[in-house]
Amino acid sequence: DRVDRFGVGLLAGVGVDSAAAALNQVAFGYRAYSSAEIASESSQTFKVVGRFHRAIAVISVMASAIFLLCIMLLKVEERRMDAAVMRFVGVRRRTIFGALVLEAALVSVLGSILGAGLAGLAGAATNSYYRRFFDTELIFSLITPRIVLFSVCLSLLLGLAAGAVAAWRLVRTPPMVLWGRA
């Protein structure tokens, strides 16, 4: 009695646009679309969901960057006495700065590896739950090597930046202030 959509196969060599135009002229009350037009129209919901996921990702990255900076600042504050002693015995600011940035890079890489493992476990749990819930073989959470590589690189970059800010703050402070005597 009523059909929302149906597909029509075309012979080789018949153009999709010309076939749709010919079908649209045959009768009143229906409209022929190409598969590409239907897919584009149907995927609008997925585009909105994709934008939403990107927004969540940006917020998460910004929050994690702030968290990483706070951790690095606290970590460097613990090193105030060590830095003061190193400065008193003649270790250059550049060496102290480099050591702190190297430590930040190590923390970032280890954190991103741990985070990638945690994401893999969370993705597997998500897929397992929703596959059973909807009785389907669809993939609900996909973590690709490209995503992991991007995450590790971003984590390293943010970790280096946070470590550099924290280290710069420490090496600019006079040794007597670091020692707590000024």
Side-chain angles (χ1 to χ4, degrees):
D1 184 332
R2 181 180 167 145
V3 175
D4 287 333
R5 291 185 182 145
F6 64 88
V8 175
L10 300 177
L11 296 174
V14 176
V16 175
D17 293 332
S18 61
L23 287 171
N24 284 333
Q25 293 176 356
V26 171
F28 178 74
Y30 72 88
R31 172 97 171 99
Y33 296 98
S34 68
S35 297
E37 290 174 311
I38 291 175
S40 174
E41 197 61 36
S42 298
S43 68
Q44 293 301 318
T45 301
F46 295 108
K47 288 179 183 176
V48 170
V49 170
R51 287 185 198 120
F52 180 69
H53 284 160
R54 273 193 296 276
I56 289 173
V58 167
I59 291 168
S60 298
V61 166
M62 294 308 295
S64 66
I66 292 167
F67 181 70
L68 185 60
L69 180 60
C70 291
I71 286 176
M72 291 311 301
L73 286 171
L74 289 173
K75 189 82 169 145
V76 166
E77 284 297 315
E78 290 176 4
R79 296 281 181 90
R80 290 175 62 95
M81 296 293 267
D82 297 338
V85 169
M86 285 189 279
R87 295 277 304 281
F88 285 140
V89 297
V91 177
R92 294 185 321 181
R93 289 180 186 193
R94 185 182 310 165
T95 303
I96 297 169
F97 180 82
L100 291 171
V101 170
L102 184 63
E103 183 179 338
L106 183 63
V107 168
S108 297
V109 169
L110 291 175
S112 63
I113 290 170
L114 181 65
L118 185 61
L121 290 173
T126 299
N127 285 331
S128 176
Y129 175 79
Y130 284 109
R131 282 179 172 176
R132 264 189 257 122
F133 186 79
F134 291 113
D135 192 26
T136 184
E137 288 301 311
L138 290 174
I139 296 174
F140 293 88
S141 175
L142 180 63
I143 299 168
T144 64
R146 181 178 174 202
I147 292 171
V148 172
L149 179 64
F150 175 76
S151 300
V152 169
C153 290
L154 183 62
S155 173
L156 183 58
L157 181 71
L158 292 174
L160 287 172
V165 167
W168 179 252
R169 185 171 171 250
L170 181 72
V171 298
R172 279 188 342 186
T173 307
M176 290 302 285
V177 173
L178 292 174
W179 189 257
R181 304 279 187 219

